Amino acid sequence: MATVSNVNPHSRGPLEEYDERVHSHQLRNDDHQRGLVQSLQDLHDMLAEYNPPKVVHPSIRSLRPRSKSWIGSLLQGKPTKKLATQIPPNLPKGLYMYGDVGSGKTMLMDMFYDTLPPNITSKTRIHFHNFMQDVHHRLHVMKTEHGDDLDAILYVAADIAEKGSVLCFDEFQCTDVADAMILRRLLEALMTHGVVLVTTSNRHPDDLYKNGIQRQSFIPCINLLKTRLRVLNLDSHTDYRKIPRPPSGVYHHPLDKAAISHAEKWFRFLGDPENDPPHTAVQRVWGRDIEVPKASGQAAWFKFDELIGRATGAADYLELMRSYHAFIVTDVPGMSYRERDLARRFITFIDAVYESRAKLVLTSSVPLYQLFMSPDEVHDALDSGRANGDVALPTDGEDVDDVMRMMMDDLGLNMQMLKSSAIFSGDEERFAFSRALSRLSEMGSREWVERGLGLEHRGGKGEKEGWERVRSRWREDSL
């Protein structure tokens, strides 16, 4: 595995490098490509302030299974304390860049890798197939030396993490069942040791290992990639105005430097800054004024506290839906049982957006599936539900994050989980919270996001005008 010392002779970041190449006519200035380079720059800036944790190897003894026999447990002595497996909270969110042949994957990876900040002293770049071959070889050596019952993945991950804190993969893919069964634990272990992952691929994470053997066991790895890496579509899609669609999805966490550019890109795309520069606006509801801090065209931008932190309700949200087709809401917090009033208000807003078929862009401090229940609350609900027989026992390798991700996609599981929690008052409230997660999942889908935007590959201006007629009928019905 080729790990090298990081050298950036010009001390340029990706954006400066891109501008230099445009200036020297090596590249043609392109709005879509510049937006992608801005994502590289966001990560570059976060890495410049990143101090990775010291890599600590687990002991061989801690990686062996506990003996089930009484005599064996006596011979093994007291259990060895396992190393913490939590991903550091300060770990910068990596990148997963996917696109067809010719979309610029290699050029973007070159630009990122060659301009890493000087505090990143060593870096690794490798084709993903070669990386997995190296991993399987290391696992084989460990098991040959210490026995087949050794959980060698954690040790191998620590070895790799020692080589460098930035690991770049070319052509991430999974076609082999042996890779699929270990990938999630391997990648998560690398992140636990503070390794920032950046990868290119031909496929969206959802399309990895399609129709593979035991694919269900690979889903947690897909969820890890989508949650812990920023997924960017390199293929350029423009609307009838020739404005490129932002490369990322509409939801972003955590509230890092990339969250700002995420909100700005979507506001520019969903609004109309050329003809209607961003401005404040006021909507009147039953004699009261609702201030919109930033509006452009049919898009409105609020901070969470400006919209949900005030005494607003369903009538206010309905009026906003009549005036705007898209909403950017930034700085959304996780809401545990202490913030139930805020959560109820936010759910009322989500319902209004969904029922009016509007667009919703969010930046949040936590993943969506942690918006209304913290991991500790879900853990308690899981224990209670399993004790009562309401929730299935965990499968191998399943953790709280996996359950919370599945809650986003499975209304039935969501209801089972919420029934096992004492933090909701009555079935009606449980259903409201459960439905909100399901609706957020649907509103984040590509089909929902792209509908009515007038993207050229979906029909351009004619498609947008047709959708506006549909929403116009909704506004008439809601009067």
Side-chain angles (χ1 to χ4, degrees):
M1 192 176 301
T3 301
V4 300
S5 298
N6 181 37
V7 179
N8 182 357
H10 303 294
S11 298
R12 284 198 290 253
L15 264 181
E16 283 184 89
E17 180 64 27
Y18 181 77
D19 287 337
E20 175 59 31
R21 295 187 191 184
V22 169
H23 181 71
S24 60
H25 304 292
Q26 297 176 59
L27 291 174
R28 179 175 55 85
N29 192 39
D30 177 86
D31 285 345
H32 175 69
Q33 204 167 63
R34 181 172 290 279
L36 294 168
V37 176
Q38 179 62 60
S39 298
L40 302 182
Q41 184 67 45
D42 290 337
L43 180 54
H44 174 97
D45 292 344
M46 288 184 277
L47 285 170
E49 300 173 359
Y50 179 52
N51 184 24
K54 187 179 187 308
V55 176
V56 179
H57 273 78
S59 67
I60 296 298
R61 183 180 165 194
S62 72
L63 301 178
R64 296 190 186 282
R66 293 289 297 168
S67 174
K68 295 181 180 178
S69 73
W70 178 70
I71 295 176
S73 62
L74 281 177
L75 292 173
Q76 278 186 323
K78 290 183 178 179
T80 305
K81 186 178 179 183
K82 289 208 171 187
L83 292 171
T85 55
Q86 274 198 331
I87 295 174
N90 69 328
L91 180 72
K93 196 169 187 175
L95 295 173
Y96 183 105
M97 302 181 285
Y98 75 98
D100 290 335
V101 174
S103 59
K105 295 190 292 288
T106 301
M107 184 272 287
L108 290 167
M109 181 66 92
D110 289 345
M111 190 176 293
F112 174 77
Y113 191 73
D114 293 341
T115 61
L116 281 167
N119 60 304
I120 303 299
T121 55
S122 58
K123 56 189 181 182
T124 306
R125 181 176 179 181
I126 186 170
H127 192 281
F128 189 72
H129 176 70
N130 296 338
F131 171 76
M132 291 309 299
Q133 283 188 321
D134 179 71
V135 167
H136 285 298
H137 174 70
R138 290 170 186 253
L139 291 173
H140 175 72
V141 170
M142 289 288 294
K143 288 177 181 288
T144 300
E145 187 174 344
H146 299 287
D148 286 340
D149 61 350
L150 188 78
D151 184 6
I153 291 176
L154 298 178
Y155 199 93
V156 168
D159 272 350
I160 295 169
E162 274 189 328
K163 302 294 184 184
S165 55
V166 175
L167 177 55
C168 297
F169 296 132
D170 289 300
E171 303 299 337
F172 189 105
Q173 61 178 324
C174 183
T175 56
D176 185 87
V177 65
D179 292 351
M181 293 305 100
I182 68 168
L183 252 178
R184 182 269 176 84
R185 291 192 64 229
L186 175 64
L187 297 180
E188 192 167 50
L190 289 168
M191 294 179 194
T192 297
H193 289 299
V195 176
V196 177
L197 301 178
V198 177
T199 184
T200 65
S201 179
N202 291 329
R203 300 167 181 256
H204 187 280
D206 286 335
D207 295 328
L208 291 170
Y209 197 52
K210 265 206 165 165
N211 305 316
I213 299 170
Q214 300 181 47
R215 188 175 190 266
Q216 193 61 33
S217 300
F218 186 68
I219 298 300
C221 181
I222 292 174
N223 290 336
L224 178 74
L225 292 170
K226 293 196 298 184
T227 303
R228 293 292 178 176
L229 304 184
R230 191 178 182 194
V231 180
L232 301 177
N233 184 354
L234 305 189
D235 298 325
S236 178
H237 293 299
T238 59
D239 66 3
Y240 65 97
R241 302 169 297 177
K242 305 302 181 188
I243 297 178
R245 177 200 188 280
S248 63
V250 287
Y251 305 140
H252 178 92
H253 87 279
L255 299 176
D256 53 17
K257 290 186 176 180
I260 300 169
S261 62
H262 171 84
E264 288 173 344
K265 286 174 188 173
W266 276 106
F267 183 66
R268 176 176 178 266
F269 182 68
L270 295 170
D272 188 11
E274 299 298 324
N275 299 309
D276 185 23
H279 58 276
T280 58
V282 175
Q283 304 294 330
R284 288 192 67 78
V285 182
W286 295 353
R288 291 189 303 108
D289 288 344
I290 305 175
E291 184 178 339
V292 181
K294 188 185 288 189
S296 172
Q298 296 176 328
W301 182 339
F302 295 87
K303 289 184 179 178
F304 180 86
D305 286 342
E306 294 168 339
L307 179 66
I308 307 300
R310 297 174 179 174
T312 50
D316 304 304
Y317 306 144
L318 195 59
E319 186 60 36
L320 288 172
M321 300 307 135
R322 293 193 186 103
S323 303
Y324 301 102
H325 291 190
F327 297 87
I328 292 85
V329 182
T330 56
D331 302 330
V332 179
M335 289 159 272
S336 66
Y337 70 92
R338 297 182 185 86
E339 294 86 24
R340 278 293 167 255
D341 286 343
L342 282 178
R344 291 186 189 99
R345 209 175 291 155
F346 190 44
I347 285 171
T348 302
F349 174 73
I350 291 169
D351 288 342
V353 174
Y354 181 87
E355 287 160 10
S356 72
R357 302 297 186 263
K359 313 297 181 192
L360 181 61
V361 177
L362 300 177
T363 66
S364 59
S365 61
V366 296
L368 286 191
Y369 55 83
Q370 292 179 15
L371 276 181
F372 306 123
M373 290 181 77
S374 70
D376 288 342
E377 289 170 340
V378 171
H379 194 279
D380 291 344
L382 276 174
D383 287 346
S384 174
R386 286 166 180 162
N388 298 333
D390 295 329
V391 179
L393 293 173
T395 57
D396 289 343
E398 181 183 85
D399 64 10
V400 170
D401 263 8
D402 295 331
V403 174
M404 295 176 88
R405 282 284 322 183
M406 285 187 287
M407 285 171 65
M408 288 289 296
D409 304 320
D410 187 338
L411 193 60
L413 172 65
N414 206 336
M415 285 298 291
Q416 284 181 319
M417 284 292 308
L418 299 182
K419 282 180 180 177
S420 304
S421 172
I423 59 179
F424 299 96
S425 57
D427 285 344
E428 188 174 336
E429 183 173 277
R430 289 188 182 97
F431 181 75
F433 277 74
S434 176
R435 185 180 60 189
L437 284 178
S438 179
R439 287 181 164 182
L440 281 171
S441 180
E442 185 179 351
M443 289 192 290
S445 68
R446 181 174 177 178
E447 177 64 30
W448 184 288
V449 172
E450 294 189 351
R451 185 174 55 197
L453 293 181
L455 293 173
E456 289 186 321
H457 72 286
R458 286 181 173 263
K461 192 171 185 179
E463 188 264 351
K464 179 179 176 64
E465 290 171 346
W467 182 243
E468 284 180 347
R469 286 193 292 271
V470 172
R471 287 201 84 246
S472 177
R473 286 196 293 271
W474 170 84
R475 283 196 295 272
E476 290 171 5
D477 293 341
S478 65
L479 289 174

